[in-house]
Amino acid sequence: MWYNIFKFELQYRLKRPDTYVFFLFLFLFSIVGVDFIFQGSDMGLMKKNSPLVIAKTMGAITGLFMILASMIMGVSVLRDFEYEIESLIFSTTIKKKDYLLGRFLGSFTVLLFVFSGILFGMMFGEFMPWHNPNSLLEFNFLMYLRTFLTVVFPTLFFGASLFFVTGALSRNLVVVYTQGVFLFVVFMLTKAITNEFWQAILDPFSLTTTTFVTKSWSVIEKGTQSIPFFGGALMYNKLFWASLGILALFYGYKKFNFNVVKNKQSKRKQVQVSNIQSVTDASAITIPDAKKQYGMLSKWTQLKQFSWFYFKDICKQSSFWGIVICGMIIILINSVNLGTVYGVDSYPATYFIVEELKETSIYFFIIILVFYSGELVWKERGAKLDLIYDATPMSSFIKLMGKYIGLNLVYVVLMLALSGSGILFQTLSGYYNYEFQVYFYGFFLEILPFLALYTFIAFFIQSVVNHKFVGI
């Protein structure tokens, strides 16, 4: 039975245009992948297609676009709930093992196809006319394939297992996205490990691992020799993350409830249900008098209410706070070096603090922008209330503008929190020349207009494309 589900998943994915869009995107990006990853770096005598350069490039690209893995793996089980066919599937003779195994293997096969764009893109990029032949080694297909299997494949397996289990258990796509941020935080946490061996073992993308393996090599060895896999730190690294992926699959299989209705219910909801009183007499219901308002004043009131509603809706989501907490962890790790320039300690001047906070937080602002622009535009359609929502007499512009302002309010609150954390760090360090205008200029005159513009572009793309994942 699992094989039939596997074939169905595979056929469904191969008919989807986003599968080929993702592959084409990775293929085109990987053509210039080496130049992008190593831009501004002095490669010395190493060739652009040396084994070490290829391994680092493949690992970096895999880490950068792990979000694509969440889009492919996280929706395998969620799709049944989205189309409301879970009651039909769960009431058949399909076993839980066959259902989950078929979904996982089908999605993972498609994931390998999509990320093979890295393999073929880098090989194709080697023959681009802008490369100097003297900066390249002789083309070696087996070396590319071996690096893909040893560096990219185990990382994809762990990411696929994590995203698949998260999507199956949470049944919430935004929670799946948050796991991609979690992987990035884990990678940043490994940078704080002082032991080089354990830093190499715990790196999910094997960037520090390859550096550790080749640290004693000569320049000629780094430019020509393949990175050894068996018996070294690279093997232990991949075994560690592959083992975590297997544990995640076993945990997901054990915890997945093959029922439509969940048995557990929070105490708060139980109290709310018990407090509901049934009313049999319609005359006992009092309908309040509503005063109708028209004109600009009513539209302004609607805009304020919509903006505040969507702002609170984002702040109530646990996935949002997961992203914020991950960002705070990264900032906390980097705060150790705040005020240190070229190894020399100095006062934590405001411009030091602001630059460090901007450099660290901009990635998480972009993550929030990308994720929640799609979630807000598709919120009513995801809850299947779009027909009722669109039938109301309110302006579509007011509703969309309320979502846009609500997301920008989230940026403002986070910037105020970052400014407050910077001031607190200065105070604890005994520095009291806060220079509030530098905080205001750095966040609200530099980053906020950038975020507002790209949020507008993201809303526009989501509205025009009319496809959530393609728009993201």
Side-chain angles (χ1 to χ4, degrees):
M1 179 62 72
W2 72 266
Y3 183 68
N4 294 327
I5 299 176
F6 167 77
K7 288 196 303 182
F8 171 79
E9 184 72 20
L10 204 60
Q11 292 170 356
Y12 173 81
R13 294 285 190 171
L14 293 178
K15 292 178 182 178
R16 299 281 296 180
D18 49 353
T19 300
Y20 303 99
V21 170
F22 293 158
F23 172 83
L24 182 62
F25 177 77
L26 284 177
F27 176 80
L28 295 176
F29 183 86
S30 300
I31 291 177
V32 295
V34 175
D35 298 322
F36 178 83
I37 299 299
F38 286 90
Q39 61 178 338
S41 301
D42 184 14
M43 300 179 64
L45 298 177
M46 284 195 303
K47 306 297 184 181
K48 287 188 175 182
N49 61 344
S50 63
L52 179 59
V53 173
I54 291 175
K56 285 186 173 293
T57 303
M58 284 189 175
I61 296 177
T62 303
L64 285 174
F65 298 105
M66 189 57 72
I67 181 64
L68 298 182
S70 67
M71 293 181 181
I72 295 173
M73 299 301 302
V75 298
S76 301
V77 177
L78 280 174
R79 190 169 61 248
D80 296 332
F81 292 90
E82 181 182 354
Y83 293 116
E84 298 182 343
I85 62 171
E86 71 279 3
S87 56
L88 296 176
I89 295 177
F90 294 172
S91 61
T92 61
T93 57
I94 300 176
K95 296 181 179 179
K96 181 170 72 169
K97 177 184 67 176
D98 296 329
Y99 174 75
L100 293 177
L101 184 62
R103 291 292 194 194
F104 176 79
L105 291 180
S107 300
F108 186 60
T109 303
V110 174
L111 181 67
L112 289 178
F113 165 73
V114 169
F115 274 79
S116 67
I118 300 176
L119 173 65
F120 295 112
M122 291 186 64
M123 289 192 298
F124 186 74
E126 188 172 328
F127 300 96
M128 289 294 101
W130 57 75
H131 288 308
N132 184 359
N134 295 326
S135 64
L136 298 172
L137 296 174
E138 184 179 355
F139 177 76
N140 188 345
F141 170 76
L142 292 179
M143 188 260 295
Y144 278 100
L145 181 61
R146 180 178 181 272
T147 306
F148 182 83
L149 293 177
T150 56
V151 175
V152 178
F153 182 84
T155 303
L156 287 181
F157 175 76
F158 168 73
S161 303
L162 178 65
F163 299 141
F164 181 81
V165 170
T166 304
L169 297 183
S170 67
R171 301 174 185 177
N172 188 336
L173 192 57
V174 181
V175 177
V176 179
Y177 293 157
T178 309
Q179 305 308 309
V181 182
F182 168 76
L183 278 182
F184 177 73
V185 172
V186 171
F187 171 71
M188 295 299 296
L189 287 174
T190 60
K191 298 293 186 181
I193 300 176
T194 56
N195 188 295
E196 293 184 355
F197 176 77
W198 286 109
Q199 186 183 40
I201 297 298
L202 299 177
D203 183 357
F205 308 124
S206 303
L207 298 180
T208 55
T209 310
T210 53
T211 302
F212 175 79
V213 172
T214 60
K215 68 175 183 177
S216 61
W217 289 13
S218 64
V219 177
I220 297 178
E221 290 176 328
K222 290 182 179 180
T224 56
Q225 289 190 11
S226 299
I227 300 175
F229 179 76
F230 294 101
L234 184 60
M235 184 186 73
Y236 298 138
N237 172 272
K238 295 309 176 184
L239 286 177
F240 173 76
W241 290 105
S243 301
L244 289 182
I246 294 174
L247 289 176
L249 290 177
F250 277 112
Y251 177 81
Y253 174 77
K254 183 179 179 180
K255 291 294 183 179
F256 182 73
N257 190 1
F258 209 57
N259 295 312
V260 178
V261 180
K262 295 182 179 180
N263 296 327
K264 292 184 179 181
Q265 192 176 29
S266 64
K267 294 182 179 180
R268 182 178 179 183
K269 290 184 178 180
Q270 292 177 357
V271 172
Q272 290 177 350
V273 172
S274 62
N275 290 336
I276 296 177
Q277 299 178 356
S278 60
V279 178
T280 56
D281 187 7
S283 60
I285 301 176
T286 302
I287 301 177
D289 295 330
K291 182 180 179 181
K292 297 181 180 179
Q293 294 181 352
Y294 302 95
M296 292 301 298
L297 182 60
S298 63
K299 295 184 182 300
W300 171 249
T301 303
Q302 292 173 2
L303 181 61
K304 289 191 297 182
Q305 293 295 329
F306 273 117
S307 303
W308 183 246
F309 171 78
Y310 289 113
F311 169 74
K312 291 193 300 181
D313 179 70
I314 295 176
C315 293
K316 288 180 180 178
Q317 297 186 23
S318 58
S319 56
F320 168 75
W321 288 107
I323 296 174
V324 172
I325 291 173
C326 289
M328 290 302 174
I329 292 174
I330 298 299
I331 292 174
L332 180 63
I333 295 173
N334 292 338
S335 64
V336 177
N337 296 323
L338 282 178
T340 302
V341 183
Y342 300 111
V344 179
D345 293 334
S346 60
Y347 287 111
T350 304
Y351 71 92
F352 276 146
I353 305 296
V354 172
E355 288 299 324
E356 182 66 29
L357 292 176
K358 283 166 53 180
E359 182 180 353
T360 307
S361 63
I362 187 62
Y363 301 107
F364 291 91
F365 277 120
I366 293 176
I367 290 172
I368 294 173
L369 186 157
V370 172
F371 288 169
Y372 286 98
S373 60
E375 287 298 317
L376 288 178
V377 173
W378 285 81
K379 182 177 179 60
E380 289 74 28
R381 280 176 279 188
K384 302 189 186 316
L385 294 174
D386 51 314
L387 296 178
I388 298 176
Y389 196 71
D390 294 338
T392 57
M394 292 175 292
S395 170
S396 299
F397 175 78
I398 295 295
K399 291 182 284 190
L400 193 62
M401 181 58 69
K403 297 177 180 180
Y404 175 78
I405 296 176
L407 187 53
N408 279 274
L409 286 176
V410 172
Y411 303 150
V412 172
V413 172
L414 291 180
M415 288 178 185
L416 291 174
L418 288 172
S419 301
S421 63
I423 294 172
L424 178 62
F425 178 82
Q426 287 179 301
T427 304
L428 295 177
S429 301
Y431 187 84
Y432 305 106
N433 186 17
Y434 299 121
E435 296 179 290
F436 298 108
Q437 70 277 7
V438 179
Y439 283 105
F440 179 79
Y441 180 84
F443 285 111
F444 295 96
L445 295 185
E446 289 188 5
I447 294 184
L448 186 59
F450 165 81
L451 294 174
L453 175 61
Y454 278 89
T455 303
F456 176 82
I457 295 174
F459 272 64
F460 175 78
I461 293 175
Q462 287 286 354
S463 302
V464 172
V465 172
N466 203 29
H467 191 287
K468 185 177 181 179
F469 295 136
V470 176
I472 290 177

PDB file of all heavy atoms in Angstrom, residues 200-218:
ATOM      1  N   ALA A 200      32.948  21.168  14.569  1.00  0.00           N
ATOM      2  CA  ALA A 200      32.842  20.512  13.267  1.00  0.00           C
ATOM      3  C   ALA A 200      31.752  19.448  13.259  1.00  0.00           C
ATOM      4  O   ALA A 200      31.031  19.282  12.257  1.00  0.00           O
ATOM      5  CB  ALA A 200      34.187  19.887  12.893  1.00  0.00           C
ATOM      6  N   ILE A 201      31.576  18.728  14.363  1.00  0.00           N
ATOM      7  CA  ILE A 201      30.576  17.663  14.430  1.00  0.00           C
ATOM      8  C   ILE A 201      29.163  18.237  14.420  1.00  0.00           C
ATOM      9  O   ILE A 201      28.245  17.689  13.795  1.00  0.00           O
ATOM     10  CB  ILE A 201      30.792  16.799  15.688  1.00  0.00           C
ATOM     11  CG1 ILE A 201      32.146  16.102  15.629  1.00  0.00           C
ATOM     12  CG2 ILE A 201      29.672  15.767  15.847  1.00  0.00           C
ATOM     13  CD1 ILE A 201      32.292  15.145  14.467  1.00  0.00           C
ATOM     14  N   LEU A 202      28.945  19.364  15.099  1.00  0.00           N
ATOM     15  CA  LEU A 202      27.598  19.903  15.300  1.00  0.00           C
ATOM     16  C   LEU A 202      27.161  20.878  14.215  1.00  0.00           C
ATOM     17  O   LEU A 202      26.030  21.372  14.270  1.00  0.00           O
ATOM     18  CB  LEU A 202      27.523  20.589  16.670  1.00  0.00           C
ATOM     19  CG  LEU A 202      27.797  19.680  17.877  1.00  0.00           C
ATOM     20  CD1 LEU A 202      27.769  20.486  19.156  1.00  0.00           C
ATOM     21  CD2 LEU A 202      26.781  18.548  17.931  1.00  0.00           C
ATOM     22  N   ASP A 203      28.013  21.165  13.249  1.00  0.00           N
ATOM     23  CA  ASP A 203      27.637  22.079  12.165  1.00  0.00           C
ATOM     24  C   ASP A 203      26.685  21.358  11.210  1.00  0.00           C
ATOM     25  O   ASP A 203      27.069  20.392  10.547  1.00  0.00           O
ATOM     26  CB  ASP A 203      28.894  22.525  11.407  1.00  0.00           C
ATOM     27  CG  ASP A 203      28.580  23.541  10.313  1.00  0.00           C
ATOM     28  OD1 ASP A 203      27.393  23.847  10.109  1.00  0.00           O
ATOM     29  OD2 ASP A 203      29.509  24.010   9.649  1.00  0.00           O
ATOM     30  N   PRO A 204      25.416  21.820  11.086  1.00  0.00           N
ATOM     31  CA  PRO A 204      24.454  21.094  10.236  1.00  0.00           C
ATOM     32  C   PRO A 204      24.756  21.194   8.749  1.00  0.00           C
ATOM     33  O   PRO A 204      24.301  20.345   7.968  1.00  0.00           O
ATOM     34  CB  PRO A 204      23.115  21.757  10.579  1.00  0.00           C
ATOM     35  CG  PRO A 204      23.478  23.112  11.073  1.00  0.00           C
ATOM     36  CD  PRO A 204      24.799  22.967  11.754  1.00  0.00           C
ATOM     37  N   PHE A 205      25.508  22.203   8.328  1.00  0.00           N
ATOM     38  CA  PHE A 205      25.775  22.400   6.900  1.00  0.00           C
ATOM     39  C   PHE A 205      27.216  22.066   6.507  1.00  0.00           C
ATOM     40  O   PHE A 205      27.607  22.281   5.368  1.00  0.00           O
ATOM     41  CB  PHE A 205      25.448  23.839   6.503  1.00  0.00           C
ATOM     42  CG  PHE A 205      24.069  24.267   6.911  1.00  0.00           C
ATOM     43  CD1 PHE A 205      23.877  25.386   7.709  1.00  0.00           C
ATOM     44  CD2 PHE A 205      22.964  23.544   6.509  1.00  0.00           C
ATOM     45  CE1 PHE A 205      22.610  25.767   8.100  1.00  0.00           C
ATOM     46  CE2 PHE A 205      21.689  23.918   6.896  1.00  0.00           C
ATOM     47  CZ  PHE A 205      21.505  25.031   7.696  1.00  0.00           C
ATOM     48  N   SER A 206      28.003  21.591   7.468  1.00  0.00           N
ATOM     49  CA  SER A 206      29.362  21.074   7.229  1.00  0.00           C
ATOM     50  C   SER A 206      30.340  22.129   6.726  1.00  0.00           C
ATOM     51  O   SER A 206      31.345  21.785   6.099  1.00  0.00           O
ATOM     52  CB  SER A 206      29.320  19.897   6.231  1.00  0.00           C
ATOM     53  OG  SER A 206      28.478  18.876   6.693  1.00  0.00           O
ATOM     54  N   LEU A 207      30.094  23.392   6.987  1.00  0.00           N
ATOM     55  CA  LEU A 207      31.034  24.430   6.558  1.00  0.00           C
ATOM     56  C   LEU A 207      32.282  24.427   7.429  1.00  0.00           C
ATOM     57  O   LEU A 207      33.409  24.412   6.930  1.00  0.00           O
ATOM     58  CB  LEU A 207      30.348  25.799   6.594  1.00  0.00           C
ATOM     59  CG  LEU A 207      29.133  25.955   5.665  1.00  0.00           C
ATOM     60  CD1 LEU A 207      28.544  27.350   5.802  1.00  0.00           C
ATOM     61  CD2 LEU A 207      29.520  25.683   4.228  1.00  0.00           C
ATOM     62  N   THR A 208      32.096  24.448   8.754  1.00  0.00           N
ATOM     63  CA  THR A 208      33.249  24.366   9.646  1.00  0.00           C
ATOM     64  C   THR A 208      33.846  22.960   9.656  1.00  0.00           C
ATOM     65  O   THR A 208      35.024  22.792   9.984  1.00  0.00           O
ATOM     66  CB  THR A 208      32.855  24.767  11.076  1.00  0.00           C
ATOM     67  OG1 THR A 208      31.753  23.956  11.515  1.00  0.00           O
ATOM     68  CG2 THR A 208      32.439  26.223  11.133  1.00  0.00           C
ATOM     69  N   THR A 209      33.033  21.969   9.292  1.00  0.00           N
ATOM     70  CA  THR A 209      33.530  20.595   9.239  1.00  0.00           C
ATOM     71  C   THR A 209      34.611  20.439   8.180  1.00  0.00           C
ATOM     72  O   THR A 209      35.677  19.858   8.427  1.00  0.00           O
ATOM     73  CB  THR A 209      32.382  19.618   8.956  1.00  0.00           C
ATOM     74  OG1 THR A 209      31.293  19.871   9.844  1.00  0.00           O
ATOM     75  CG2 THR A 209      32.834  18.184   9.136  1.00  0.00           C
ATOM     76  N   THR A 210      34.345  20.952   6.991  1.00  0.00           N
ATOM     77  CA  THR A 210      35.338  20.864   5.915  1.00  0.00           C
ATOM     78  C   THR A 210      36.583  21.669   6.249  1.00  0.00           C
ATOM     79  O   THR A 210      37.702  21.276   5.896  1.00  0.00           O
ATOM     80  CB  THR A 210      34.728  21.357   4.603  1.00  0.00           C
ATOM     81  OG1 THR A 210      34.165  22.674   4.788  1.00  0.00           O
ATOM     82  CG2 THR A 210      33.630  20.424   4.124  1.00  0.00           C
ATOM     83  N   THR A 211      36.410  22.794   6.944  1.00  0.00           N
ATOM     84  CA  THR A 211      37.577  23.580   7.364  1.00  0.00           C
ATOM     85  C   THR A 211      38.420  22.810   8.368  1.00  0.00           C
ATOM     86  O   THR A 211      39.657  22.823   8.306  1.00  0.00           O
ATOM     87  CB  THR A 211      37.122  24.912   7.975  1.00  0.00           C
ATOM     88  OG1 THR A 211      36.334  25.631   7.019  1.00  0.00           O
ATOM     89  CG2 THR A 211      38.311  25.770   8.377  1.00  0.00           C
ATOM     90  N   PHE A 212      37.756  22.121   9.303  1.00  0.00           N
ATOM     91  CA  PHE A 212      38.474  21.347  10.317  1.00  0.00           C
ATOM     92  C   PHE A 212      39.225  20.181   9.682  1.00  0.00           C
ATOM     93  O   PHE A 212      40.375  19.895  10.053  1.00  0.00           O
ATOM     94  CB  PHE A 212      37.478  20.827  11.358  1.00  0.00           C
ATOM     95  CG  PHE A 212      38.092  19.926  12.385  1.00  0.00           C
ATOM     96  CD1 PHE A 212      38.807  20.438  13.446  1.00  0.00           C
ATOM     97  CD2 PHE A 212      37.947  18.535  12.275  1.00  0.00           C
ATOM     98  CE1 PHE A 212      39.378  19.594  14.391  1.00  0.00           C
ATOM     99  CE2 PHE A 212      38.506  17.696  13.217  1.00  0.00           C
ATOM    100  CZ  PHE A 212      39.225  18.224  14.279  1.00  0.00           C
ATOM    101  N   VAL A 213      38.609  19.507   8.718  1.00  0.00           N
ATOM    102  CA  VAL A 213      39.235  18.344   8.090  1.00  0.00           C
ATOM    103  C   VAL A 213      40.489  18.742   7.320  1.00  0.00           C
ATOM    104  O   VAL A 213      41.482  18.016   7.293  1.00  0.00           O
ATOM    105  CB  VAL A 213      38.228  17.627   7.171  1.00  0.00           C
ATOM    106  CG1 VAL A 213      38.908  16.539   6.350  1.00  0.00           C
ATOM    107  CG2 VAL A 213      37.095  17.028   7.989  1.00  0.00           C
ATOM    108  N   THR A 214      40.452  19.926   6.692  1.00  0.00           N
ATOM    109  CA  THR A 214      41.558  20.334   5.810  1.00  0.00           C
ATOM    110  C   THR A 214      42.481  21.372   6.428  1.00  0.00           C
ATOM    111  O   THR A 214      43.272  21.991   5.721  1.00  0.00           O
ATOM    112  CB  THR A 214      40.977  20.900   4.500  1.00  0.00           C
ATOM    113  OG1 THR A 214      40.153  22.049   4.802  1.00  0.00           O
ATOM    114  CG2 THR A 214      40.132  19.866   3.779  1.00  0.00           C
ATOM    115  N   LYS A 215      42.391  21.595   7.754  1.00  0.00           N
ATOM    116  CA  LYS A 215      43.175  22.677   8.355  1.00  0.00           C
ATOM    117  C   LYS A 215      44.680  22.397   8.315  1.00  0.00           C
ATOM    118  O   LYS A 215      45.486  23.329   8.306  1.00  0.00           O
ATOM    119  CB  LYS A 215      42.727  22.931   9.795  1.00  0.00           C
ATOM    120  CG  LYS A 215      43.052  21.806  10.758  1.00  0.00           C
ATOM    121  CD  LYS A 215      42.669  22.200  12.177  1.00  0.00           C
ATOM    122  CE  LYS A 215      43.067  21.097  13.175  1.00  0.00           C
ATOM    123  NZ  LYS A 215      42.753  21.501  14.575  1.00  0.00           N
ATOM    124  N   SER A 216      45.079  21.131   8.284  1.00  0.00           N
ATOM    125  CA  SER A 216      46.503  20.788   8.254  1.00  0.00           C
ATOM    126  C   SER A 216      47.010  20.515   6.841  1.00  0.00           C
ATOM    127  O   SER A 216      48.166  20.124   6.670  1.00  0.00           O
ATOM    128  CB  SER A 216      46.766  19.559   9.126  1.00  0.00           C
ATOM    129  OG  SER A 216      46.030  18.437   8.641  1.00  0.00           O
ATOM    130  N   TRP A 217      46.162  20.729   5.837  1.00  0.00           N
ATOM    131  CA  TRP A 217      46.565  20.473   4.457  1.00  0.00           C
ATOM    132  C   TRP A 217      47.376  21.638   3.909  1.00  0.00           C
ATOM    133  O   TRP A 217      47.189  22.799   4.316  1.00  0.00           O
ATOM    134  CB  TRP A 217      45.345  20.259   3.577  1.00  0.00           C
ATOM    135  CG  TRP A 217      44.638  18.953   3.823  1.00  0.00           C
ATOM    136  CD1 TRP A 217      44.824  18.099   4.867  1.00  0.00           C
ATOM    137  CD2 TRP A 217      43.617  18.372   3.002  1.00  0.00           C
ATOM    138  NE1 TRP A 217      43.998  17.031   4.767  1.00  0.00           N
ATOM    139  CE2 TRP A 217      43.239  17.157   3.626  1.00  0.00           C
ATOM    140  CE3 TRP A 217      42.990  18.746   1.836  1.00  0.00           C
ATOM    141  CZ2 TRP A 217      42.255  16.319   3.087  1.00  0.00           C
ATOM    142  CZ3 TRP A 217      42.018  17.920   1.294  1.00  0.00           C
ATOM    143  CH2 TRP A 217      41.664  16.717   1.920  1.00  0.00           C
ATOM    144  N   SER A 218      48.214  21.330   2.977  1.00  0.00           N
ATOM    145  CA  SER A 218      48.939  22.386   2.266  1.00  0.00           C
ATOM    146  C   SER A 218      48.017  23.009   1.219  1.00  0.00           C
ATOM    147  O   SER A 218      46.918  22.508   0.952  1.00  0.00           O
ATOM    148  CB  SER A 218      50.181  21.808   1.581  1.00  0.00           C
ATOM    149  OG  SER A 218      49.803  20.873   0.569  1.00  0.00           O
TER     150      SER A 218
END
